[in-house]
Amino acid sequence: MGERTAREPGLRASLFPLTGPLRFLLLSSFLIPLGSFMVLPFMSVFLHERLGMGLGTVGVVLAVASLVQFSGGIVGGALADRIGLRRTMVWALVVRTAGFTGLLLALRWPPLAVGALVLTCCGAALYLPANKAYLVHGVDDARRPAFLSAGNAALNAGMAVGPLIAGPFVLSSPGWLFAAVTALFLAVTAGHARLPGPDGTHRTASADTARPGLLAGVAVLPFAANALAFYLYFHFQHFLAVYAVERASSAFYSMVLLLCFTLVIVVQPLASGLIRRMPYALALAVGFTGLATGLAVLAAGTRGALLAGGALITLGDIVLFLKNDLEALRRSPRSDAVVFGQQRLAAGLGACASGVLGGHLYGLGERAGHTGWFWLLAAAQCLLLPPLLLTLRRRTARLPVPDGDHEGALTRDDTDGRIPGR
């Protein structure tokens, strides 16, 4: 036991001391979603009530924007692999700042709003893979979960605080709100331009070597597991609002979201070491069981069920999302940025499928007067679909690694021949 403790640093020992660039990057991981979520959660209301768009059009615009924001990450990863992490982050923030500037100008010329929204999502797609890769660059495998979970905690904190700040102003004073967010992004972009560019953060292809495709070297099982996890999670993300508001209130729905964000902020960093050591098959079982239980609890429809269901779903996703990223990094020979981009593509495909299929299913339940059955059906999928991943596990099995269990916990030297931090 003492030997394991010596090898496995605690959360504080894993993170500290932080260099100046990493402190700034973690601060940015809070400020960027803070600014974004002062605007983006209210876009449906803004487009419909302020700019007069029909709800059908608003739905299509938001679906396209979400798909771009998630799935475009694979392009962001490839760009970072080609031009480097720092330059990719700077260009991504320039694009996103231009998007928020466009939203400000859309107050005078409304047709700009759609293009501006898509532009902000393009910037997000380009930024996140490079951000994650910079955060773990040169960090050994034992410390990576702590850095990734700290970044996720900062991101979720920004997502939680942003709507609380902006809620009173998004319809009454949108001009001042968009101007403030644009100024925030200008400052963050200037800070990123001064970050050092770590050595070896991108590769250049030799003259006689073709560049690999965007999906070359993809870790199939973590990719599929991530797509499935996001597909199931976005049943909760997409449809909880309408379900909760009609049974409680919009204020209570905000409390549920705040609880979920708080759990990610507090629990994931503390549990990151345990999640790292957890065998992959066990992590999948724990995560999908948490999802299934939480979705089933939501079917009760009471306030207590909404809180408990949201908490269980979040705890399941804390395990799934982090473990899938760690396992993808372990299995793939590609650079970190490309791996994170591939995982974002999987997330986008899952979220999109959830919106399309889940929307039809929720509509059927609503017309039948039994929306609780929607959550029970989603819970059943959590139990029935993951076993299909075992087929991928057998088909994508690699040669044995020294510890005899390539599906299990990470080992210090288990980097698939990759340079640490790549």
Side-chain angles (χ1 to χ4, degrees):
M1 185 72 177
E3 184 180 351
R4 168 173 286 188
T5 303
R7 290 200 311 265
E8 298 284 354
L11 177 64
R12 185 176 181 84
S14 296
L15 285 175
F16 296 102
L18 284 173
T19 63
L22 289 181
R23 284 197 298 271
F24 174 78
L25 209 62
L26 286 174
L27 176 62
S28 298
S29 295
F30 169 76
L31 292 176
I32 289 172
L34 172 71
S36 299
F37 272 68
M38 288 170 68
V39 174
L40 298 182
F42 304 102
M43 285 308 298
S44 59
V45 179
F46 177 76
L47 294 174
H48 178 56
E49 296 189 10
R50 183 80 185 201
L51 301 185
M53 291 186 181
L55 285 176
T57 303
V58 169
V60 171
V61 169
L62 294 181
V64 171
S66 297
L67 185 62
V68 168
Q69 181 166 342
F70 277 101
S71 299
I74 194 168
V75 178
L79 182 65
D81 208 30
R82 176 171 294 192
I83 70 172
L85 302 178
R86 182 183 63 83
R87 281 196 287 177
T88 299
M89 288 190 290
V90 171
W91 279 112
L93 289 169
V94 168
V95 170
R96 207 161 192 194
T97 304
F100 285 111
T101 303
L103 288 175
L104 180 61
L105 297 176
L107 294 173
R108 294 294 183 91
W109 192 40
L112 271 179
V114 174
L117 175 61
V118 173
L119 204 59
T120 64
C121 293
C122 288
L126 295 176
Y127 179 82
L128 193 60
N131 168 276
K132 285 188 171 184
Y134 195 108
L135 195 62
V136 300
H137 176 72
V139 176
D140 61 69
D141 285 332
R143 300 174 67 203
R144 284 186 166 203
F147 278 81
L148 287 176
S149 59
N152 289 339
L155 184 143
N156 277 271
M159 291 166 63
V161 175
L164 297 177
I165 295 176
F169 309 108
V170 69
L171 291 179
S172 61
S173 306
W176 287 105
L177 178 64
F178 293 162
V181 172
T182 301
L184 173 63
F185 270 84
L186 283 171
V188 172
T189 303
H192 277 70
R194 300 188 63 182
L195 284 173
D199 295 334
T201 55
H202 66 284
R203 303 174 183 179
T204 55
S206 61
D208 58 347
T209 303
R211 288 188 178 275
L214 293 179
L215 286 175
V218 66
V220 177
L221 180 54
F223 183 92
N226 213 43
L228 181 57
F230 272 83
Y231 163 72
L232 295 168
Y233 171 73
F234 265 76
H235 284 68
F236 170 75
Q237 185 78 7
H238 284 314
F239 305 110
L240 182 66
V242 63
Y243 183 75
V245 169
E246 71 176 20
R247 284 162 177 77
S249 66
S250 58
F252 189 82
Y253 169 64
S254 299
M255 286 180 56
V256 175
L257 293 185
L258 186 60
L259 170 65
C260 295
F261 286 132
T262 302
L263 285 174
V264 175
I265 294 166
V266 174
V267 175
Q268 192 176 68
L270 295 175
S272 60
L274 176 63
I275 295 170
R276 172 189 175 271
R277 295 189 298 272
M278 190 180 294
Y280 191 36
L282 177 60
L284 292 178
V286 170
F288 284 117
T289 299
L291 275 178
T293 306
L295 289 166
V297 168
L298 289 179
T302 64
R303 292 188 173 217
L306 294 174
L307 288 169
L312 289 167
I313 289 168
T314 302
L315 292 173
D317 285 328
I318 283 172
V319 176
L320 285 174
F321 295 165
L322 180 58
K323 190 63 175 181
N324 281 331
D325 277 354
L326 292 172
E327 193 70 11
L329 288 171
R330 186 177 78 88
R331 289 168 177 249
S332 177
R334 302 296 298 277
S335 70
D336 290 348
V338 169
V339 172
F340 286 128
Q342 291 171 343
Q343 291 296 95
R344 289 286 288 179
L345 172 62
L349 295 175
C352 185
S354 179
V356 174
L357 299 177
H360 287 298
L361 292 174
Y362 195 91
L364 288 174
E366 191 173 49
R367 287 190 292 273
H370 296 289
T371 48
W373 286 101
F374 169 79
W375 303 108
L376 293 176
L377 182 57
Q381 292 181 77
C382 292
L383 300 177
L384 296 176
L385 295 179
L388 297 179
L389 294 175
L390 296 177
T391 303
L392 286 174
R393 180 182 179 184
R394 289 192 293 268
R395 291 179 60 185
T396 62
R398 301 174 302 160
L399 294 176
V401 294
D403 66 0
D405 180 18
H406 63 273
E407 295 291 310
L410 294 168
T411 61
R412 182 169 184 172
D413 299 319
D414 186 12
T415 57
D416 294 332
R418 297 155 72 244
I419 300 171
R422 295 293 293 271

